[in-house]
Amino acid sequence: MSQIDNTWFSEVMAADGSAFSLKIKRKLHEEQTQYQFLEVYETETFGNLMVLDGSNMVTSRENFLYHEMLSHVPLFTHPNPKRVAIIGGGDCGTLREVLKHKGVEEVFQIDIDEAVTRASEKYFPELCESNNDPRAKLMWIDGIKWIQDAPKGSLDVIIVDSTDPVGPAVGLFAEDFYKACFDALGDDGVLVGQSESPLFHTASIIKQMYVDLRSAGFIEVNTFPFPQPIYPTGWWSCTVAIKSGAMQNFREQDARNAGFETLYYTADLHKGALVMPPFMQKILKG
Ligand code: SAM
């Protein structure tokens, strides 16, 4: 059995009887922001680690898995995305991926907590390398209110890159919010949200998302699982909802000829991820 002492950071999921630990070199930053307790550590093998309220958010080493799936799956699902909103995502990794799409004209990043972005600029500069792109508009306000106030039909893609459904993020997993997103999206609109662990949360959080997204008016909902070592179970997901068309008619050729580098996402991987494991299908579509 391995020795866990104060040179390790552990995120303990007590209710699920599991934990994930990283060997720490030192603590780089600690701050009680207006909204959450923010910590940054230097780890032995995962680069820097950002933690919010005790939950792992990002490491330098493996954030590409999450940020690429949350960005490229919805952007290649929409026929011609030009205006994109990222709700949450204050570490700016999703913003960087979205801006790789040349056809995108405007990206609004709305995170409630400016301290997350300031910490990311300092400890994850690679994630913030596109923050000065003229197409990027960064705001630090409540994303729920921003979506409610957005002009109808004004957005092509909405990406909910939020914390777990606790604290200020609870309302980002709610039917009212999905209805406001539906209204803010154009006819071909695509909504995606991070949707927790397929193993722990398919029968609870993800199933409820399906119910709420469908009653908000979306015609098709699909969950895309992907590996994510630092999140509970090491297996995470994003759930995509569309207003028209069919999820499997994504822009496969454009994804093949994307013209930018990805480390995880490919057109084939996108295709493969459309096939949900049978246990999920049974719970979500059965
Ligand atoms: N990858 C992460 C995960 O799945 O754990 C999420 C990372 S991102 C840092 C999450 C962000 O959501 C945080 O910066 C937090 O401030 C933001 N957030 C939470 N509730 C919000 C709200 N109502 N409006 C806007 N941003 C919100």
Side-chain angles (χ1 to χ4, degrees), residues 11 33 35-36 38 50 52 55-58 63 66-67 70 86-92 94 110-117 139-145 160-164 166-172 177 194-196 228 230-232 236-237:
E11 180 182 340
T33 77
Y35 301 97
Q36 47 214 345
L38 191 167
M50 186 192 286
L52 289 177
S55 295
N56 293 333
M57 288 291 125
V58 225
N63 74 80
Y66 174 97
H67 288 138
L70 207 61
I86 301 164
I87 306 300
D91 56 68
C92 304
T94 299
I110 307 104
D111 195 293
I112 204 165
D113 195 346
E114 182 170 356
V116 173
T117 304
M139 284 163 268
W140 294 280
I141 48 170
D142 188 342
I144 300 170
K145 171 103 178 65
V160 186
D161 181 359
S162 72
T163 36
D164 299 337
V166 287
V170 170
L172 297 172
F177 174 68
Q194 75 90 357
S195 49
E196 309 282 305
Q228 196 70 58
I230 67 161
Y231 292 164
W236 216 241
S237 69

Side-chain angles (χ1 to χ4, degrees), residues 151-164:
K152 286 199 186 328
S154 62
L155 297 166
D156 298 314
V157 176
I158 299 173
I159 300 175
V160 186
D161 181 359
S162 72
T163 36
D164 299 337

Side-chain angles (χ1 to χ4, degrees), residues 178-179 182 211-220 242-243:
Y178 298 146
K179 279 206 173 96
F182 187 90
V211 171
D212 294 340
L213 286 163
R214 283 178 179 141
S215 40
F218 291 95
I219 62 159
E220 191 185 341
I242 53 178
K243 281 182 78 165

